[in-house]
Structures are given as structure tokens and as C-alpha cells.
Amino acid sequence: MTLRLGRHAFADDATIMMAIVNRTPDSFYDQGATWAEDKASARVDLVVGQGAEMVDIGGIKAAPGVEIGEAEERSRVVDFVARVREEHPGVVISVDTWRASVGDAACRAGADVLNDAWGGADPELVDVAAAHDAAIICTHTGGATPRTRPYRVEYDDVVRSAIDDTVAYAERALAAGVARESIVIDPAHDFGKNTFHSLELTRRLGEMVETGWPVLVSLSNKDFVGESLDKPVGERLLGTLAATAICATAGARIYRVHEVVETRQVVDMAWTIAGRRPPARAIRGLQ
Amino acid sequence: MTRVVLVPGVLALLPEYAGFADPVADLRAACLAAVATLGTDVEVLASGSGARVARHLLDQVPRSDDHPSYLVVGNGSATRTERAPGHLDERAADFDARLRAALVGPDPVALAALDQDLATELWADTGQLGRLGGLLGGDCDVQVTYADAPYGVQYWVMTWTTA
């Protein structure tokens, strides 16, 4: 399906690198490295230079912690969105928020995508996306409350649950007026899931792709990688890339990443193997 | 007027082997320009995959005149450098120089007498060049529009026009 993310359209066979930009002092991977606005801005410059088509700006870390009110989240995100919009008109700007009010302000400042990592916790988020002709990312959390960790969560079939919930969310977005080509689904690895759930979602990602909705995967340096390989944060890149290759083979379209260059190479290689992308330049044996 | 065109049977010219970047863009342009001078009814002299290359090139360009036309597929050695498909063979440069001279001449006798054993050892595609010589009696204008070995294989694009 052709994908339209706010101001930007992508061909059916395009894959998209969505680089994570945290305006937080405490996210698990970067531990506040881009908390200062200038540092965050430098991060945007870097990832855009590395070829990222999209940035995902978040003002609240996913894990539990100090409560961040709406005003504080706005102050972290909205003006920064405006700055990125001005400095990088060609990049897709996604905002990682579950709050409709923050999403609305971000869209007014130039955001193209609302990345609802918490699976529709605020039912009015779809209305905001529709009002601004923005895209929305519909994630599966198994009903988890925002910023909670999974505790003894079980599913009869985690893939079935992910498909049912994200497709239902997508249809709710569609009914609210979000354009069909601007709705993306995300199984949300680790969110409301133990490692076995995330592994199964990776293994069976093709079933989500078969729904016809474009699929986003957010794998980067997550605990399911760390627990699979017994590696701490900071040593999970290879495992992340292995999972990325599996998801790319299945047909995921958008990759939410910390490492743009490495992920781009892996995705391109997997898509080339799958026959969805030609080689860059082929002459071996063809002279 | 009879027109004869020689192109190399480079598989990278085929669409099924296309990448984002074209590694033989200059060669392709020369081939298409030469093939465009042929008439509508073209006899192809080629062996194996060379016939596919010829057909693809012919399909790429509109042609209108009805002069007798031949498209011959062949090339020199594939042993010009250490990175060439057949690795470096010191005899290749001389072989290709003599072959070029026979083609440009044109020298039908030399083309008919090509050392096919040596051609095989040098991975040259010369199987059709003897017949090519047979088409080129009398006065003949020769144009060489491509002559290079970018991947260790000697390519030529040539056009002969006879009165």
C-alpha cells in the first residue's frame, strides 16, 4: 500500500528509517544524551545526514518513572517539532505521544505522524490525526496502561491479539477520518509482552503484513534482544539487526531505530534478497 | 544499402539484471544508438544468451527504414586484466588488436580464419564473426562508436554501411 505520512508519500516498495530522538533525561538507551534541545537538534542533523527519512520525537520515556504532565510534555516536544520542521523540511516528523492534546499541538507545529506507542490509551488521538491529515501508528499493548511494565501477561495467541487489536485500532482511525494510506500498525515488541511474546511476533510478523496495513517495527536494543542473547543495553546492536533482518524479510515497512546506518544496510540487504529491491549495481558474472 | 551492427553480448544489458545504477551505461547508449540505425527487419547473428541481448536492444528502439540489416553479437577476449572473468592472459591484448583490425578493415579473410581455439582460451565470443565478414564485401564505411574493456572484457560497438 502506498504510504502517506503527512506531507510525505512513499512508494509501495519503499522502506523507511525512523530515527529515535528523545527529548527525555532518562530514556533507557541514551540516558539523556539528547535531553538538551541543542543536543536533540544535533541528533536530528546526524540521523538525517545518515539517511533517515523520519524522526520520532518523544518527550516521555516508555518505562515507569517520574510522572510527566501534559504541560511538561508539550514544553519538551512542541517547540522542538517546529524547529525540526523549519530546519529539515524534507524529513517526516513523528511524535511519540499518547496524549491527544500534545498530538494536536505537535501537529500544529509541523508533525506529520502521531506515534501512539500506548495503543489508543487516549481515544481522541485519532480525531487529532484526522483533523490535521496526519498519519497514525496503531500499536498493540495488550491493554497495558501507559508507562507500565508487563507483569505475568499471557495471551492465548499473541500474534492474533496483536493483529486483532491493531487492525481494530486502524479501522477506528479510518472511521474517525484518518486517510487509509496514513494508517500504520505496530506489534510493539516488549510493550505488554514478555520476551517469548516478542520473539513469536518477530517469527510470525508476516501474518501482520498480510493484513495489508503497513507494518512498523520497533526492535532497537530492546529487552527481548537483551534477554535472548544475555546482553546489556549497549551490546544489543547485532541482535537488533538479526531481528531486523527477519522483520524485513517478512515485509515490515518502517523501522524505529537508534542506529540508522546499520539498520538501513540490513533492511536493504533483506529486501534485495526478498526480490523487492534491485542490487545497487550488479556486474559480477554479467560482463 | 546494407547495414551491419556489432554489439557485445553483455548480460548486464538485460533488464532482469538491472540494479539501481547501470554499470554499462556508456556501452548501452552506444548499442542503442547503433541499433537505431538498423531497418525494421533485422537478421540476428548470435549464439546463446547473445540472442537475448540482441532482441532486447532491438525492442528498445523504434526503427523505420527497410534496408537489409544485421545485428551481430560478439566481443573480444574476457582475459584483459587480473580482475577479468577469465583472469589475465598475456595473449589477450594482441588477440584483440588483431581482431579489431580485421573488423575495422574489414578483412573478411582474416575474420573467416580466426583462431577459434585461441578465442576459446581467451573467453572471446567470436563464433559469429566469420559470418559477419561474409556480409562485408566491397566498399564499406566503418564506424567504431565504443571500444573499451571496463571489466576486463573487450567490447566494441561497430557499424558497417555498404553501398
Side-chain angles (χ1 to χ4, degrees):
Chain A
M1 184 191 294
T2 298
L3 195 55
R4 187 168 60 79
L5 303 174
R7 300 152 181 79
H8 315 270
F10 295 88
D12 287 351
D13 55 358
T15 54
I16 297 165
M17 293 299 124
M18 177 201 220
I20 299 162
V21 179
N22 289 317
R23 291 237 50 224
T24 56
D26 49 5
S27 286
F28 83 99
Y29 185 66
D30 57 37
Q31 293 296 319
T34 57
W35 166 229
E37 183 174 320
D38 283 347
K39 293 282 176 55
S41 181
R43 162 88 179 150
V44 173
D45 294 344
L46 174 71
V47 297
V48 170
Q50 290 173 332
E53 293 85 359
M54 185 170 180
V55 292
D56 188 39
I57 298 165
I60 303 179
K61 74 168 181 173
V66 178
E67 184 175 342
I68 307 298
E70 183 189 321
E72 172 67 14
E73 187 185 6
R74 277 175 182 250
S75 74
R76 293 180 178 189
V77 168
V78 176
D79 288 348
F80 186 63
V81 166
R83 176 172 174 175
V84 174
R85 178 80 287 147
E86 185 176 338
E87 294 177 353
H88 296 281
V91 77
V92 180
I93 300 176
S94 165
V95 171
D96 181 346
T97 187
W98 74 84
R99 289 186 173 121
S101 57
V102 175
D104 182 59
C107 286
R108 291 180 194 281
D112 299 292
V113 180
L114 297 176
N115 177 20
D116 183 10
W118 290 101
D122 184 338
E124 293 177 12
L125 201 67
V126 290
D127 301 317
V128 171
H132 293 284
D133 198 22
I136 191 158
I137 295 165
C138 308
T139 58
H140 170 262
T141 62
T145 300
R147 304 191 67 197
T148 56
R149 292 199 172 99
Y151 182 60
R152 298 179 180 173
V153 174
E154 293 193 297
Y155 297 91
D156 289 338
D157 179 339
V158 68
V159 177
R160 188 72 259 155
S161 174
I163 290 173
D164 288 348
D165 288 6
T166 57
V167 167
Y169 188 173
E171 287 170 354
R172 190 160 64 77
L174 190 64
V178 180
R180 179 177 289 278
E181 68 270 21
S182 299
I183 299 171
V184 175
I185 62 173
D186 171 6
H189 289 69
D190 276 8
F191 278 56
K193 300 170 189 75
N194 62 39
T195 287
F196 296 93
H197 295 141
S198 294
L199 293 171
E200 184 162 5
L201 279 165
T202 307
R203 188 161 58 242
R204 294 172 56 193
L205 194 79
E207 294 175 41
M208 288 202 79
V209 172
E210 284 170 12
T211 64
W213 297 101
V215 173
L216 177 150
V217 287
S218 181
L219 312 167
S220 199
N221 298 293
K222 280 187 169 173
D223 280 349
F224 84 97
V225 175
E227 290 194 354
S228 293
L229 300 178
D230 192 20
K231 294 291 185 189
V233 171
E235 296 179 30
R236 297 175 179 176
L237 176 58
L238 292 176
T240 296
L241 295 177
T244 299
I246 302 294
C247 291
T249 301
R253 298 283 305 279
I254 305 176
Y255 300 80
R256 184 176 181 273
V257 300
H258 296 102
E259 287 92 0
V260 173
V261 173
E262 293 86 347
T263 312
R264 168 49 75 192
Q265 276 196 32
V266 167
V267 170
D268 282 353
M269 190 68 209
W271 274 58
T272 307
I273 291 168
R276 303 186 200 112
R277 172 189 179 276
R281 182 178 183 278
I283 192 64
R284 179 180 175 79
L286 301 171
Q287 301 99 323
Chain B
M1 179 183 78
T2 298
R3 185 159 279 149
V4 181
V5 167
L6 172 68
V7 296
V10 178
L11 291 180
L13 292 168
L14 294 171
E16 57 265 42
Y17 295 123
F20 281 117
D22 184 356
V24 289
D26 293 347
L27 174 66
R28 184 186 308 277
C31 289
L32 292 173
V35 168
T37 69
L38 296 171
T40 51
D41 189 16
V42 179
E43 183 173 342
V44 172
L45 305 184
S47 47
S49 57
R52 282 163 54 214
V53 173
R55 182 46 54 196
H56 174 65
L57 292 171
L58 288 167
D59 288 345
Q60 293 299 106
V61 285
R63 288 161 286 111
S64 53
D65 293 345
D66 58 358
H67 51 272
S69 297
Y70 298 87
L71 179 56
V72 185
V73 180
N75 50 258
S77 71
T79 54
R80 291 296 297 264
T81 64
E82 290 195 352
R83 299 199 62 189
H87 200 255
L88 175 64
D89 189 313
E90 301 289 354
R91 300 170 296 176
D94 181 59
F95 175 87
D96 288 334
R98 284 185 284 116
L99 179 53
R100 176 187 171 120
L103 289 164
V104 171
D107 185 344
V109 175
L111 290 173
L114 266 180
D115 183 344
Q116 292 295 347
D117 290 338
L118 180 57
T120 301
E121 289 180 34
L122 299 178
W123 297 30
D125 178 13
T126 57
Q128 303 297 320
L129 301 189
R131 291 176 67 194
L132 168 70
L135 301 170
L136 301 177
D139 284 345
C140 187
D141 174 67
V142 186
Q143 288 191 326
V144 181
T145 50
Y146 186 96
D148 200 359
Y151 303 108
V153 183
Q154 179 63 57
Y155 305 144
W156 294 292
V157 177
M158 298 188 187
T159 303
W160 295 264
T161 308
T162 63

